[in-house]
Amino acid sequence: MGAQRKGATRAEDSDELARVPLQAILLADSFATKFRPITLERPKVLLPLVNVPMISYTLAWLESAGVEEVIVFCCAHSKQVISYLESSGWFSQPNFSVTTIESHNSVSAGDALRLIYERNVIQGDFILISGDTVSNMSLTQVLQEHRERKKKDPNAVMTMVIKRSKSSPITRQSRLGTDELFMAIDPNSKQLLYYEDKADYSKGVICLDKLLLTDNSSISLHNDTQDCYIDICSPEVLSLFTDNFDYQHLRRHFVKGLLVDDIMGYKIFTHEIHSSYAARIDNFRSYDTISKDIIQRWTYPFVPDVKFGGNSATKLERQGMYRASVVQSRSAEIGPFTVIGIGTKIGSNTKISNSVVGEGCTIGSNISIEGSYLWNNVTIEDDCKLMHAIVCDGVVMKSGTVLEPGVVLSFKVVIGHQFVVPSYSKVSLHEQPIKQDSDEELEYADNSSGIGEPSCTVDKSNGVMSSQLSEEQSQPTDELGTGGVGYVWSICEGSHEEEWRHSIAPIPADKLAEAMQTTEDDLELITQDGSVLPASGELKPDCIDSDDDDNEDSRDDSIDFEKEVEATFLRAVHENIKEDNVILEVNSLRLSYNKLFAECAGAIFYSMMKLALETPHTSASELCNNAVSIITKWKKLLKSYLNDIDEQIEVILTFEEMCLESAKEFFPVFAKILWHLYDKDIIHEEAVLKWDDEKKDADDSDKVFVKQSEKFIQWLREASEEEEEEEGGGEEEEGNQE
Amino acid sequence: MGRGRERESESPRNSRSLCSAPMDFQVVVLAGGASKKLIPLISKEVPKALLPVANRPVLSYVLELLEQSNLKDLIVVVEGQDAAVRVGGWISGAYVDRLHVEVAAVPEDVGTAGALRAIARHLTAKDIMVVNGDLVSDVPPGAVAAAHRRHDAAVTAMLCSAPVSGPSESGSSSGKDKTKKPGRYNIIGLDPTKQFLLYIATGAELEKDIRIQKSILRAVGQMEIRADLMDAHLYAFKRSVLQEVLDQKDTFQSLKQDVLPYLVRSQLKSEVLLNGAPQAEENGNEKVNFQKNQVMVSRILANASTPSFHEFSGLGTNDSAPRTHKCCVYIASNRKYCARLNSIQAFSDINRDVTGEASHLSGYSFSAQNNIIHPSAELGLKTTVGPHCMLGEGSQMGDKCSVKRSVIGRHCRIGSNVKVANSVIMNHVTIADGCSIQGSVICSNVQLQERVVLKDCQVGAGFVVSAGSECKGEALAKKEK
């Protein structure tokens, strides 16, 4: 610890600037709702983690890492946070000043940082963390790296701490229960180039800007790192938040915002830690994982048998068992990796393993507790069974109750006799907020005020309980047992699917199998898409699915476009709209669909022909006459898109396609209509001749129409060769055609 | 295609020689035909494969490289019947006792995949190595074959460092060079051990954004994306896989742009290994079982030696066998020489390198002056031939000539006061007095009359440059009739 502090000071001395104390901003609010319903009554940072409030781990680490000033930003339950800091003596540490900033209307980290910027308390580089971070890393190296980079490049505003940790390819989440993370990092400079955390599962590819590789000859892409949410920031970060008032989330908005913004050129770098520990408690699963890491001493010196930040000393025994002074029956068995707090009484024949039990708990006889977290003053009567549950302060479990994996019992809930609480249930004395906003951005800070004070808790009559539960689908039990107190929160639609991901319970086998199946299916999808795509030609088959999507899109686009043009044209016909206005409309369609003139011409021609087809007719010649009259009438419209020979050819090709597919009725009159198009000066002879040339090498099946118009083409050729005879030839031809 | 019939009668010999091949590798050398990029250097008389590099056909470099790795069972595929006859004639003369070479003609413009399709029934070995005939390299193909075998890969591609020094002309305009980055040939994704190929982009894709399949990244955890490597167009394929792909994907034209990316993309969800069985059914069930067993055994072996992410990602699937195949790479060390003769610039560069920095490739022993002058060549008074030069058999030079960093072929007659620098002069070229040739390529039987000045020109075979002409950056050739 001493060495670390010295290191930090030395790094600072090398700075030419006046010495500024090393500061940290600690956000004592996660701005999320993942720990509800517990966090309705107590802020997340004060939840006990192996019997010590989370914030103590963070503060103790900051102190040991040489931070001199911590600004604690409190929002939700700010009074509780402040009073805890007071009572635990964090305000009165030598060489370590803790100050608080209170806010009642911040709903995001962005708001918090904007407020801190207004207060003007940050003097230099600072460490930005949230109060639920557990770490024992040394900041010396990362600070030094950050400062050196900053000196060379003032745009290097942030250094993110990352750690290797492979997320499971099956469940696509890390061991901390967070979503898988995709990052691209420059292997030499360690600059962060790409960050994708909220994985969009439907998207099977990562799309990296091609420009990334023009600056770097290699990039390393990671799916095996974890973001520790420890950031070394320059003071500019705060002003960036102020400039971009819509930045809310540190990662989703700020980091991604900087990465895509190439005007300002701000850069984010990463620092990978290898041997030290750093993790953030994001959800119940990370609560479980980190608790186990603490018990297994990965976070040393922040372990239960070392005193820091106001924990009571416990003694480490064999097999990772920590026990304070405990009243324990002889026949009680305490298994490995278990922590038992002071003043807890344990009855006979009770088995506890892989669990944490707080202070002053009363645990009866014949109880089995496996992988669970019991906080303080919990009373468990005889013959209960707890599996992977979190039980908050003051909970009473009457005899014979069973907690199935993943249950969370909030403060002072009472579970009735013989009651079985089903998996993943969350029980609280507070009613579930009616407005279920799945948006994580919406904070309990402001929501909690609407929920009401603990006084509103009522002893549940069975009636209320059953009505509450009847809303849940297929919930067989309709109460918390006789004498039970509390509401069972219904699992809201959206998060139900994800409940098993973030719970402390191990992932059930069927979910794993399901996830595996999705993985398989995904792969199937990708390869299938790949094989569907024409392999050679313009579109190289690499970008498979998404490229295919693009194709699909553009195909849909074309169809949409054609439909729109047709609709416009028909409207013009029926309502006698002026050609100029139609042209305007089609032009705007062209722009909005990003089409070429040729495509417009094709679409208009298609609409005309379709109209001709729909006009009643009895014979082919009548149809031909229909078509000719429509063409004559809307000549101007069509011509305004036929400036070029290519566009004219496009019209011929469209026509050809129609004759073959959608409007076979035109088949016999193709040559006639072509001649009329020529006659009306819509299609020039060069276009016809070029079309003929293009078709020369085609298959015979493709040449039907060329054959049909052979005479006409031949005449055109002769005419162009002997220009003088053009007049006579034309008349002659006209006679032939009609 | 007449050749094909001829080959069939030879097939008994063919299979015999296969059994004796130590590695059970068949090599297909794609010697190409008339490449448009190389006009006017190539002509009917000189197909691409026979273009001289340091006075011997470029194809000989590949053949000898393969010979060194003991890969002696070769099929040389040439586009066009005439070219095939010429290449075949040369090979049978030069390598009659050393290699077992068959020359097959395929129609022009079928692409590399098409060429393999055309000769598919002659492929019998377990693994097939495909190499371009224009490769000039000292990377041992045996090492690629070994890497292929070690991982039991479906395909192994050889990668080499992309040449950093672009065309020499751009050296002069260094200002522009800064905006232009060194040549980009491929974008390649590798696993951290640099053994497996996870992503490859070629050609037009380089202009698009890079799109990486998440499933592959998930399986491997970390991927390195490199822009400084080049696909050297030397591949080892598992024959069953190659034929499967060629049969099923009849639109695939190019190995580099279609087949390889397809295999890389589908490596975690292999279609080729699964579909391998039904296809073989025609040949009777016994063979199917045998093949299946082979696949299983090789899988088990592969698992035992080098477990890779493929196995892990395949684990736990309900299918008994993981449906993955491996795409491997062999990355040549950047000290090795590796270049492809596929442009005029490359032709000049390779000629310069083979007589210069990569002189060990030429197979000649250089003199104390670091050049090679054939004993039968005659030099006039005060004529100097600098280092890194080559003067072929029976060539004569007049007085006061100077030759710098150039290759001069056989039986050339060069007058007096001729300066040749950074150029390649092929055989039977006549150069009159006072000519100056710089950075140019002069094909066979060309005649340069007095005082011709050529800078950065290419002169096609048999062309006559009239006296006193001065040309810069032109391609001079006879009109093809």
Side-chain angles (χ1 to χ4, degrees):
Chain A
M1 181 170 125
Q4 282 164 3
R5 187 171 292 177
K6 233 199 263 164
T9 1
R10 203 190 312 127
E12 214 143 52
D13 286 346
S14 66
D15 240 345
E16 301 275 307
L17 297 163
R19 190 186 175 285
V20 288
L22 182 56
Q23 291 175 308
I25 294 178
L26 188 155
L27 302 175
D29 192 333
S30 60
F31 304 106
T33 58
K34 287 186 181 149
F35 272 81
R36 281 190 177 186
I38 303 173
T39 46
L40 288 181
E41 288 161 70
R42 193 183 281 187
K44 184 175 159 196
V45 294
L46 294 188
L47 303 186
L49 185 70
V50 196
N51 295 337
V52 177
M54 293 177 190
I55 196 169
S56 279
Y57 286 92
T58 317
L59 287 170
W61 162 63
L62 288 176
E63 187 189 14
S64 74
V67 174
E68 290 150 282
E69 247 185 82
V70 179
I71 293 144
V72 179
F73 181 88
C74 318
C75 188
H77 308 284
S78 56
K79 292 285 172 291
Q80 281 190 46
V81 176
I82 292 167
S83 71
Y84 170 76
L85 291 176
E86 253 161 26
S87 65
S88 60
W90 280 113
F91 284 141
S92 51
Q93 297 283 320
N95 305 322
F96 185 65
S97 93
V98 176
T99 51
T100 54
I101 290 181
E102 249 185 287
S103 159
H104 296 291
N105 51 8
S106 299
V107 293
S108 70
D111 287 345
L113 294 179
R114 280 185 278 273
L115 189 73
I116 292 169
Y117 180 70
E118 281 167 26
R119 299 285 173 92
N120 206 13
V121 287
I122 293 298
Q123 290 136 16
D125 292 347
F126 64 95
I127 295 141
L128 177 61
I129 48 161
S130 62
D132 45 15
T133 308
V134 177
S135 174
N136 59 4
M137 70 173 283
S138 153
L139 290 172
T140 319
Q141 204 195 341
V142 60
L143 277 170
Q144 199 169 337
E145 277 177 20
H146 178 78
R147 287 185 182 131
E148 271 163 25
R149 257 197 301 264
K150 190 76 201 299
K151 247 184 243 170
K152 282 186 207 137
D153 183 357
N155 280 335
V157 289
M158 183 162 129
T159 304
M160 259 166 65
V161 176
I162 56 171
K163 187 171 168 58
R164 182 143 308 179
S165 154
K166 178 97 180 66
S167 54
S168 154
I170 294 162
T171 59
R172 293 167 190 184
Q173 65 177 11
S174 68
R175 60 191 288 272
L176 294 176
T178 47
D179 285 324
E180 60 178 349
L181 174 65
F182 292 99
M183 281 197 282
I185 295 170
D186 180 347
N188 301 315
S189 70
K190 305 289 176 206
Q191 191 189 339
L192 181 72
L193 304 170
Y194 180 82
Y195 187 97
E196 182 185 318
D197 63 343
K198 204 71 184 174
D200 179 2
Y201 297 132
S202 61
K203 215 170 134 193
V205 289
I206 291 170
C207 201
L208 296 177
D209 196 321
K210 61 174 188 264
L211 293 175
L212 289 181
L213 265 177
T214 52
D215 303 330
N216 317 296
S217 70
S218 79
I219 293 178
S220 60
L221 259 182
H222 293 267
N223 176 234
D224 58 352
T225 40
Q226 158 200 326
D227 187 349
C228 302
Y229 296 95
I230 297 172
D231 302 327
I232 315 300
C233 302
S234 303
E236 287 91 330
V237 170
L238 291 180
S239 54
L240 274 171
F241 267 98
T242 312
D243 294 344
N244 298 280
F245 52 85
D246 54 340
Y247 282 177
Q248 303 289 348
H249 193 274
L250 279 179
R251 294 289 181 263
R252 228 170 296 151
H253 300 128
F254 177 70
V255 169
K256 286 182 187 169
L258 288 202
L259 289 177
V260 296
D261 175 27
D262 43 4
I263 300 166
M264 303 301 285
Y266 285 115
K267 290 174 190 155
I268 298 172
F269 289 83
T270 57
H271 172 82
E272 191 178 335
I273 53 171
H274 299 278
S275 56
S276 36
Y277 190 86
R280 180 176 169 231
I281 298 151
D282 175 70
N283 51 47
F284 287 120
R285 185 170 298 284
S286 33
Y287 179 84
D288 177 54
T289 311
I290 294 172
S291 296
K292 290 197 165 116
D293 291 342
I294 293 171
I295 294 170
Q296 291 171 6
R297 308 179 75 77
W298 292 101
T299 57
Y300 187 84
F302 310 111
V303 290
D305 59 331
V306 175
K307 259 185 91 81
F308 64 93
N311 58 340
S312 52
T314 48
K315 245 169 55 193
L316 174 63
E317 297 170 31
R318 66 189 161 75
Q319 284 190 308
M321 192 162 81
Y322 300 83
R323 246 184 309 196
S325 49
V326 172
V327 182
Q328 186 189 343
S329 156
R330 255 165 211 278
S331 55
E333 258 178 68
I334 302 199
F337 303 114
T338 298
V339 177
I340 313 282
I342 277 181
T344 291
K345 298 188 201 74
I346 301 171
S348 53
N349 287 323
T350 288
K351 287 181 189 169
I352 303 178
S353 59
N354 295 310
S355 300
V356 175
V357 178
E359 294 166 11
C361 296
T362 311
I363 297 170
S365 306
N366 294 318
I367 290 169
S368 115
I369 299 176
E370 163 69 35
S372 299
Y373 298 87
L374 274 57
W375 296 357
N376 300 334
N377 304 316
V378 174
T379 308
I380 299 177
E381 295 179 2
D382 298 353
D383 304 317
C384 288
K385 200 173 171 210
L386 286 78
M387 280 176 299
H388 304 285
I390 294 181
V391 178
C392 297
D393 292 7
V395 168
V396 176
M397 286 172 66
K398 297 277 172 66
S399 58
T401 54
V402 175
L403 300 188
E404 289 190 341
V407 167
V408 175
L409 301 183
S410 188
F411 298 94
K412 291 178 183 152
V413 162
V414 179
I415 305 293
H417 288 284
Q418 312 287 338
F419 189 78
V420 179
V421 184
S423 291
Y424 308 121
S425 308
K426 289 176 179 170
V427 185
S428 169
L429 290 186
H430 291 266
E431 245 180 298
Q432 188 162 18
I434 316 295
K435 200 183 83 188
Q436 264 302 331
D437 208 327
S438 58
D439 191 356
E440 281 172 41
E441 240 33 83
L442 257 197
E443 305 321 331
Y444 51 78
D446 48 1
N447 275 9
S448 61
S449 57
I451 286 153
E453 294 307 301
S455 61
C456 79
T457 59
V458 226
D459 273 13
K460 282 278 83 28
S461 75
N462 288 351
V464 175
M465 213 43 230
S466 58
S467 74
Q468 180 83 27
L469 284 169
S470 64
E471 284 164 28
E472 293 188 49
Q473 356 83 339
S474 73
Q475 194 90 20
T477 52
D478 58 353
E479 49 173 16
L480 281 175
T482 40
V485 178
Y487 294 96
V488 176
W489 282 29
S490 63
I491 296 152
C492 57
E493 293 295 302
S495 68
H496 180 66
E497 195 58 35
E498 304 294 297
E499 206 60 50
W500 56 273
R501 288 183 178 276
H502 294 155
S503 150
I504 65 161
I507 297 168
D510 57 322
K511 292 291 178 193
L512 274 182
E514 218 172 87
M516 200 123 66
Q517 196 52 49
T518 11
T519 320
E520 288 271 287
D521 294 350
D522 274 12
L523 277 171
E524 197 96 56
L525 199 81
I526 285 167
T527 37
Q528 270 179 4
D529 282 357
S531 53
V532 163
L533 203 78
S536 53
E538 297 272 84
L539 271 167
K540 289 295 164 224
D542 196 72
C543 304
I544 6 120
D545 44 1
S546 49
D547 221 18
D548 213 34
D549 286 350
D550 288 354
N551 274 354
E552 211 95 85
D553 280 357
S554 64
R555 223 172 294 138
D556 286 351
D557 243 31
S558 298
I559 291 166
D560 282 351
F561 173 72
E562 276 171 16
K563 276 192 184 144
E564 291 266 3
V565 170
E566 198 185 330
T568 311
F569 177 71
L570 287 180
R571 210 166 53 239
V573 171
H574 296 311
E575 297 171 18
N576 263 326
I577 297 171
K578 267 197 184 151
E579 279 156 344
D580 291 338
N581 294 343
V582 181
I583 292 171
L584 269 181
E585 261 187 72
V586 173
N587 271 343
S588 71
L589 282 175
R590 181 179 75 84
L591 291 175
S592 66
Y593 282 89
N594 195 14
K595 297 288 170 190
L596 300 171
F597 277 109
E599 284 161 305
C600 293
I604 293 172
F605 185 74
Y606 178 81
S607 326
M608 287 177 168
M609 287 301 155
K610 222 168 156 199
L611 179 67
L613 196 63
E614 277 156 13
T615 319
H617 57 268
T618 49
S619 65
S621 59
E622 209 170 310
L623 174 69
C624 176
N625 289 343
N626 283 344
V628 170
S629 66
I630 291 170
I631 290 170
T632 323
K633 189 171 174 204
W634 297 97
K635 199 168 84 177
K636 194 177 159 200
L637 172 66
L638 192 54
K639 270 183 83 176
S640 63
Y641 291 98
L642 294 175
N643 309 321
D644 210 319
I645 190 165
D646 289 336
E647 285 141 19
Q648 295 174 12
I649 291 174
E650 172 77 23
V651 167
I652 302 181
L653 293 176
T654 312
F655 191 29
E656 231 182 332
E657 203 180 299
M658 276 184 87
C659 293
L660 280 175
E661 284 159 19
S662 51
K664 296 210 170 78
E665 291 87 342
F666 282 114
F667 192 96
V669 291
F670 178 86
K672 271 191 188 176
I673 293 179
L674 185 65
W675 181 80
H676 277 287
L677 287 171
Y678 169 76
D679 189 45
K680 300 278 183 298
D681 209 22
I682 291 168
I683 285 174
H684 299 145
E685 70 179 72
E686 298 92 53
V688 179
L689 294 179
K690 200 165 165 210
W691 168 66
D692 178 44
D693 285 346
E694 275 178 19
K695 288 276 171 176
K696 246 180 203 144
D697 303 325
D699 298 342
D700 278 349
S701 59
D702 259 7
K703 279 164 112 172
V704 208
F705 297 108
V706 179
K707 288 234 174 76
Q708 210 189 63
S709 1
E710 209 171 16
K711 250 173 148 184
F712 171 52
I713 292 166
Q714 203 186 342
W715 168 76
L716 277 179
R717 283 198 194 283
E718 280 165 10
S720 59
E721 273 163 29
E722 309 158 32
E723 276 180 15
E724 289 132 55
E725 286 174 36
E726 196 184 11
E727 289 303 314
E731 273 164 32
E732 197 179 289
E733 189 66 27
E734 198 171 336
N736 280 350
Q737 289 286 344
E738 293 187 353
Chain B
M1 287 284 98
R3 285 246 141 198
R5 239 174 290 128
E6 206 176 298
R7 287 172 44 87
E8 261 173 327
S9 60
E10 282 177 292
S11 63
R13 190 164 69 93
N14 183 15
S15 59
R16 188 166 13 92
S17 71
L18 275 180
C19 297
S20 64
M23 308 253 291
D24 192 18
F25 253 101
Q26 240 177 330
V27 183
V28 178
V29 180
L30 300 172
S35 163
K36 286 190 183 100
K37 279 188 192 168
L38 287 166
I39 288 172
L41 301 192
I42 55 173
S43 56
K44 276 186 185 142
E45 290 76 37
V46 185
K48 181 178 170 181
L50 298 183
L51 275 179
V53 170
N55 287 344
R56 47 184 256 230
V58 61
L59 187 59
S60 69
Y61 289 85
V62 166
L63 297 184
E64 278 166 32
L65 188 68
L66 291 166
E67 190 187 16
Q68 280 166 23
S69 289
N70 212 14
L71 293 160
K72 295 184 178 177
D73 185 43
L74 317 178
I75 301 174
V76 175
V77 182
V78 186
E79 287 185 357
Q81 199 67 46
D82 293 350
V85 170
R86 284 180 193 279
V87 173
W90 170 74
I91 290 175
S92 56
Y95 294 96
V96 65
D97 304 325
R98 293 159 64 187
L99 297 171
H100 174 248
V101 182
E102 292 179 53
V103 179
V106 296
E108 292 184 32
D109 298 325
V110 288
T112 47
L116 283 175
R117 234 176 247 128
I119 59 152
R121 60 209 170 92
H122 301 296
L123 301 177
T124 49
K126 180 167 176 283
D127 293 289
I128 308 292
M129 178 172 282
V130 182
V131 55
N132 249 42
D134 60 4
L135 184 73
V136 178
S137 174
D138 54 356
V139 182
V144 180
H148 182 69
R149 277 291 164 80
R150 187 165 65 242
H151 293 294
D152 187 35
V155 60
T156 303
M158 179 173 114
L159 305 178
C160 58
S161 333
V164 183
S165 61
S168 62
E169 296 137 48
S170 62
S172 55
S173 57
S174 59
K176 262 187 194 168
D177 247 13
K178 277 196 180 146
T179 52
K180 256 192 194 171
K181 288 281 164 183
R184 182 73 54 77
Y185 297 88
N186 291 108
I187 293 175
I188 285 166
L190 301 171
D191 79 312
T193 63
K194 298 184 174 49
Q195 293 180 41
F196 298 106
L197 186 58
L198 309 175
Y199 173 80
I200 184 159
T202 339
E205 281 172 85
L206 298 179
E207 301 304 316
K208 295 192 198 159
D209 288 350
I210 309 158
R211 310 182 80 127
I212 309 281
Q213 271 170 276
K214 279 184 185 166
S215 50
I216 289 183
L217 184 55
R218 256 181 219 123
V220 74
Q222 188 180 340
M223 186 191 293
E224 198 184 346
I225 298 174
R226 302 268 295 264
D228 56 348
L229 290 173
M230 181 177 87
D231 177 2
H233 215 295
L234 188 156
Y235 310 112
F237 285 101
K238 195 177 278 182
R239 180 182 54 87
S240 55
V241 170
L242 179 65
Q243 291 192 329
E244 190 72 37
V245 174
L246 292 178
D247 284 352
Q248 288 187 350
K249 313 283 176 187
D250 47 6
T251 51
F252 282 5
Q253 287 205 337
S254 155
L255 289 180
K256 191 186 174 99
Q257 304 203 341
D258 301 323
V259 178
L260 182 63
Y262 166 74
L263 286 173
V264 169
R265 202 167 70 221
S266 61
Q267 57 184 308
L268 290 183
K269 191 76 180 185
S270 180
E271 289 171 336
V272 282
L273 289 178
L274 263 192
N275 302 336
Q279 188 239 353
E281 242 164 22
E282 309 155 5
N283 311 339
N285 282 327
E286 270 175 66
K287 199 171 174 186
V288 177
N289 285 336
F290 174 71
Q291 278 194 343
K292 263 190 185 161
N293 281 343
Q294 282 284 77
V295 171
M296 285 309 289
V297 167
S298 62
R299 275 218 185 101
I300 292 161
L301 284 178
N303 279 354
S305 55
T306 50
S308 76
F309 66 92
H310 294 92
E311 275 77 35
F312 291 123
S313 86
L315 279 179
T317 47
N318 300 332
D319 307 345
S320 53
R323 289 153 68 187
T324 58
H325 62 246
K326 293 181 192 170
C327 300
C328 295
V329 291
Y330 176 83
I331 302 177
S333 121
N334 48 14
R335 288 188 304 277
K336 294 281 186 185
Y337 187 79
C338 187
R340 285 185 58 195
L341 201 167
N342 50 12
S343 68
I344 290 170
Q345 185 60 48
F347 176 79
S348 306
D349 289 347
I350 292 173
N351 266 295
R352 191 189 61 226
D353 292 340
V354 167
T355 51
E357 59 188 50
S359 59
H360 57 282
L361 279 171
S362 66
Y364 302 101
S365 50
F366 283 73
S367 71
Q369 286 80 38
N370 227 342
N371 57 18
I372 306 157
I373 299 171
H374 197 271
S376 61
E378 293 169 24
L379 299 183
L381 282 173
K382 289 188 182 173
T383 286
T384 55
V385 179
H388 308 303
C389 285
M390 188 173 227
L391 191 53
E393 182 187 351
S395 285
Q396 299 171 354
M397 296 191 82
D399 300 338
K400 293 182 184 171
C401 293
S402 110
V403 181
K404 285 175 193 160
R405 294 215 72 142
S406 298
V407 178
I408 296 173
R410 284 180 278 274
H411 306 292
C412 292
R413 291 178 188 282
I414 297 174
S416 300
N417 276 317
V418 174
K419 287 190 172 50
V420 182
N422 293 319
S423 298
V424 179
I425 294 170
M426 296 187 196
N427 304 329
H428 304 285
V429 173
T430 311
I431 299 175
D433 294 350
C435 289
S436 163
I437 300 155
Q438 219 185 327
S440 300
V441 181
I442 315 288
C443 292
S444 296
N445 301 316
V446 165
Q447 202 183 331
L448 301 187
Q449 296 176 345
E450 281 87 12
R451 298 179 314 284
V452 167
V453 178
L454 297 178
K455 190 165 185 263
D456 303 329
C457 291
Q458 296 88 41
V459 186
F463 194 77
V464 179
V465 184
S466 54
S469 340
E470 286 190 25
C471 300
K472 197 174 169 186
E474 282 180 62
L476 310 168
K478 281 202 269 192
K479 281 228 167 122
E480 295 267 340
K481 275 165 197 169

